[in-house]
Amino acid sequence: GVGLSDASPDEGVVEDLPLIDEKAVEQLTEGLISHYLPDLQRSKSALQELTQNQVVLLETLEQEISKFKECNSIVDINALFSEAKHYHNKLVNIRNEMMMLHEKTSKLKVSGINI
């Protein structure tokens, strides 16, 4: 049947392994490092370049955003000027009306004196 033995399939494997040679492990490690290190260093420099590019991009974006803010303030200034122009025209009209009224009243006074 299936459950003939309760022993795990890994049991006894550790005893079968030969003694590990420390020097061989060290040499294997050095070999692995020398194999992967150039790639890792290339990756590191590529990441550094990418990071620098991102910094430049962020600075450029900040400059563009500040330009847009300036544009918005220019739009506000334009609105302010057109409003000022509008009120200036109103004042000119009021002044003209006042002058007309002044002329009329002075004529009335003169005609009043003549009577």
Side-chain angles (χ1 to χ4, degrees), residues 3-60:
L4 280 176
S5 164
D6 289 337
S8 78
D10 294 334
E11 209 169 281
V13 173
V14 178
E15 286 87 348
D16 295 343
L17 284 175
L19 286 171
I20 295 165
D21 183 357
E22 295 291 328
K23 191 153 182 68
V25 170
E26 198 176 306
Q27 284 175 340
L28 277 170
T29 309
E30 281 176 17
L32 277 170
I33 288 171
S34 66
H35 179 73
Y36 286 111
L37 198 62
D39 283 342
L40 286 170
Q41 283 171 334
R42 275 195 292 273
S43 299
K44 184 184 175 185
S45 65
L47 279 170
Q48 282 174 336
E49 194 180 332
L50 191 65
T51 307
Q52 285 170 348
N53 288 344
Q54 282 182 331
V55 167
V56 170
L57 187 65
L58 280 171
E59 285 173 358
T60 309

Side-chain angles (χ1 to χ4, degrees), residues 70-83:
E70 282 172 26
C71 284
N72 279 347
S73 64
I74 287 167
V75 167
D76 291 344
I77 289 166
N78 285 341
L80 197 67
F81 273 119
S82 64
E83 208 173 320

